[in-house]
Amino acid sequence: MESVGRSRVDAIAAAQNGQGRLDGSSAGPEGSSRAAFSANRPQWILTGAIVLVAINLRPGIVSIGPILPAIQASFGLTHATASLLTAIPDLLMGLLALPTPWLARRFGRSSVLLSALIILLASTVIRGLAPNTITLLATTGGVGAGIAISGSLFGGLIKERFPTKSALLMGIYATALSLGGAVAAASTGVLANVLPGGWRTAAGIWGLLSIVGIIGWRMVGSSDVNGGTQPVVSPKPGLPFTNFTAWMIALFFACVNFLFYALVSWIAPMYQELGLSTKKAGFVLASFMIVFTCANPVIGWLSKGHDRRGWLLVCGALVVGGLAGIALAPNVMPVLWVGLIALGLGGAFTLGMTLPLDNTNSAEEANSWTAFAMLVAYLIAAAGPLGVGILRDLTGGFGIPMLGLLIFGFAMMAFAPFLKPGMKG
C-alpha cells in the first residue's frame, strides 16, 4: 500500500516537472526553481507550522468546560442548552468536512487555512463579549467553523508530504491538538478567577493564540507544493459511501469523539456537583487532557505495524475500564478513572486519524476518506455533550449519563476487528 502511495506521489512530481504544475501554471525555469526550493525545504519546518496551527484547534472548545457553570449562571442556561457550546463545534466539524477540500482546490490550501484561523480568532474574542444567548451561540458557530475548516486540511497534507510517516505525523498533529486543549483545561478556570472580567476574559483570551498559528503558517504556506497559495485543478475522488472499511473507520472515530467531547464538556461540572472545588474539578479535567496529550504520540509511535487493530482493541478496553470506574465509583480515585479513559481515547484518536491514510493511495483520496470520516464522526459526536446534558436534566445527576457512555466504549472494541488496512470492499 505504501509503495503504491509513493509511486503516485512520484508520478505527481514527474507531471509537475515534465508537463506543468497541477494548478495549470507553466513549468518554466522560475516555476521549477520554486518547486525545487519547496521540495527541498526541511520537513521539520512544515512540521513546526502544523504544530503551531494545531495548538489553536481545541482551546475554543475545551476552555468552556471549566467555566461552564459560570456561563450557565450568567445566561440562565439549562444543562441541555449549555451543551450546545460544545455540540455546535462538533456539528460544524462534520458538516464543513465536505466543502473544505473543494475550497482548498478552488482557492488554495493556505488561503483557506489562513481565512479559517482569522474566523477562529475573531469569533473566540467576540464570544467573550457576548451580551446574550443568541450572540453566545452564534460566535460559538464561528469558533466551530474556524476549527472545522482548519482541521479538515491536514489529512491530505500529511499524506502528500509525509507519505511514509503518516502515523508519526498524525501523532505529532494530535499531540499538538491535545496540548492546546490541555493548557486551556488547566488554566481557564484559574484565569477566570484572577483576571478582570471573569469567565468572559478567560474564554476570549484564547483567540489571541490564533495569531501564533497565522504567523507560523505564513512562514511556510506560500511555498507549500500543490496546495500552497495556488488553486489546484485535479480530479476529485468521490466520497467512499459504498466502502465498508470507510464506514467502520468513520463509526470508530465517531465513538472516540462522542466520548471525548461529552467528557470534556461535563467532567468539570460533574465533579463540582460531587463536591469538588472549581480548582480541583479543573485539575481532574486537566489530568484528562494531559494524559490524552501524552497518549497521542506514544501510541502513534508504538503502532509501527500497518495493521493497528491490536492497539485499537487495547485503547477500547482502557476506555471501558475507566468509564466503568467513573460511573460506579466517581469519587474513588477520579484521576485514575479519567486517566484510563484519556489514555485509551488519546491513542484511539491518533490511530483513528491515521486509518484513512492507511487505506488510500494519494493525497486527494486521503482527503476524501478523511472528509467522509469527519462528516460521519462529528455529526454523531455532536450528540455526546447534548445527550449527557439532557440526561442530566432528566435524572438530576450524572450517574446514568456516565453509564450510557459505556455503550460507546464497547462499540469501539466491536468496530476494531474490522479495521484491517486494505479492506477496500
Side-chain angles (χ1 to χ4, degrees):
M1 181 69 67
E2 291 185 359
S3 63
V4 175
R6 286 195 296 271
S7 68
R8 293 198 179 191
V9 172
D10 293 340
I12 292 172
Q16 290 174 332
N17 292 333
Q19 299 177 9
R21 289 174 56 84
L22 289 176
D23 60 13
S25 62
S26 172
E30 182 180 353
S32 298
S33 64
R34 282 199 305 268
F37 172 78
S38 182
N40 294 327
R41 179 182 287 272
Q43 289 186 327
W44 66 265
I45 296 179
L46 179 57
T47 302
I50 291 172
V51 168
L52 290 177
V53 173
I55 60 175
N56 290 274
L57 304 185
R58 288 301 177 267
I61 301 174
V62 176
S63 62
I64 295 300
I67 56 177
L68 191 55
I71 296 175
Q72 287 181 269
S74 293
F75 293 98
L77 304 180
T78 66
H79 289 78
T81 303
S83 69
L84 294 176
L85 297 177
T86 303
I88 288 173
D90 285 349
L91 187 65
L92 289 174
M93 281 191 279
L95 293 176
L96 295 180
L98 290 182
T100 296
W102 175 84
L103 290 171
R105 286 192 300 271
R106 177 65 179 83
F107 299 104
R109 183 188 294 137
S110 286
S111 297
V112 173
L113 182 57
L114 288 171
S115 298
L117 290 174
I118 292 170
I119 292 171
L120 177 59
L121 164 61
S123 298
T124 305
V125 172
I126 295 172
R127 182 168 61 173
L129 305 173
N132 51 53
T133 303
I134 294 177
T135 305
L136 180 72
L137 296 179
T139 50
T140 295
V143 170
I147 292 171
I149 294 171
S150 300
S152 298
L153 296 172
F154 284 102
L157 174 63
I158 290 172
K159 180 72 174 181
E160 174 188 317
R161 300 299 296 272
F162 305 92
T164 63
K165 302 176 182 178
S166 296
L168 175 62
L169 265 294
M170 274 300 180
I172 293 172
Y173 171 66
T175 301
L177 285 176
S178 304
L179 178 62
V183 172
S187 58
T188 301
V190 176
L191 292 175
N193 289 328
V194 302
L195 293 178
W199 72 262
R200 293 181 178 277
T201 304
I205 199 170
W206 296 109
L208 302 180
L209 191 62
S210 300
I211 297 173
V212 176
I214 291 170
I215 294 172
W217 194 255
R218 287 292 297 171
M219 292 170 59
V220 298
S222 60
S223 60
D224 179 21
V225 173
N226 188 20
T229 57
Q230 298 297 322
V232 178
V233 179
S234 59
K236 176 187 176 183
L239 295 175
F241 280 107
T242 60
N243 189 292
F244 176 78
T245 304
W247 274 103
M248 293 296 99
I249 292 171
L251 291 174
F252 178 85
F253 200 51
C255 292
V256 173
N257 284 280
F258 186 101
L259 291 170
F260 176 82
Y261 287 107
L263 292 166
V264 163
S265 299
W266 293 113
I267 281 178
M270 179 184 71
Y271 275 104
Q272 288 182 53
E273 286 194 9
L274 291 172
L276 295 188
S277 66
T278 301
K279 182 178 179 180
K280 290 182 178 179
F283 173 77
V284 175
L285 175 60
S287 67
F288 175 88
M289 290 303 307
I290 290 168
V291 175
F292 186 92
T293 301
C294 294
N296 291 150
V298 170
I299 295 184
W301 178 78
L302 289 174
S303 178
K304 295 179 179 179
H306 201 47
D307 188 346
R308 310 183 196 280
R309 289 178 294 173
W311 283 107
L312 294 171
L313 279 170
V314 169
C315 290
L318 289 169
V319 170
V320 167
L323 284 172
I326 207 172
L328 300 175
N331 284 321
V332 179
M333 301 181 295
V335 173
L336 173 62
W337 303 138
V338 300
L340 288 174
I341 298 169
L343 184 60
L345 289 180
F349 182 80
T350 295
L351 299 183
M353 293 185 69
T354 307
L355 291 171
L357 280 60
D358 289 340
N359 286 274
T360 54
N361 302 320
S362 69
E364 283 295 319
E365 191 180 9
N367 272 338
S368 293
W369 276 57
T370 300
F372 175 75
M374 291 179 69
L375 170 68
V376 175
Y378 286 116
L379 289 181
I380 294 174
L386 184 61
V388 171
I390 291 173
L391 285 175
R392 164 59 185 79
D393 284 337
L394 292 175
T395 64
F398 283 99
I400 291 177
M402 291 299 115
L403 281 173
L405 294 182
L406 269 171
I407 297 172
F408 291 85
F410 283 116
M412 287 176 60
M413 299 181 68
F415 289 129
F418 298 100
L419 299 176
K420 181 179 180 180
M423 296 175 62
K424 303 182 70 174

